[in-house]
Amino acid sequence: MEDVDGAITEGLRATGMRETQREMVRAHLDAPPDVTTCCGSSCDPCVVTLARAVRVARRKLGRET
């Protein structure tokens, strides 16, 4: 059984994202991987950070892409 919440927590911690951003990571777990680039607009979180958190969570769940 996958521990989705634990994997998301690991992704949040690895990237310094806040707990309040948990659902952003969850929403992208099953999305196709995409190439993201920072636009330099100081988004919170930056799409690059979000993508990194999703990768960490996917790795923990054995869903590497």
Side-chain angles (χ1 to χ4, degrees), residues 2-63:
E2 298 174 343
D3 181 10
V4 175
D5 286 324
I8 293 171
T9 297
E10 191 168 317
L12 293 172
R13 288 181 182 157
T15 58
M17 290 178 66
R18 294 182 306 278
E19 177 63 31
T20 57
Q21 296 169 319
R22 169 176 293 278
E23 294 308 312
M24 295 174 91
V25 175
R26 185 184 311 275
H28 288 86
L29 282 179
D30 295 318
D34 58 5
V35 178
T36 54
T37 357
C38 177
C39 65
S41 295
S42 299
C43 299
D44 184 31
C46 175
V47 294
V48 174
T49 303
L50 177 58
R52 201 171 60 218
V54 170
R55 276 194 307 274
V56 169
R58 284 179 179 164
R59 218 174 296 127
K60 174 88 173 160
L61 294 167
R63 297 187 199 173

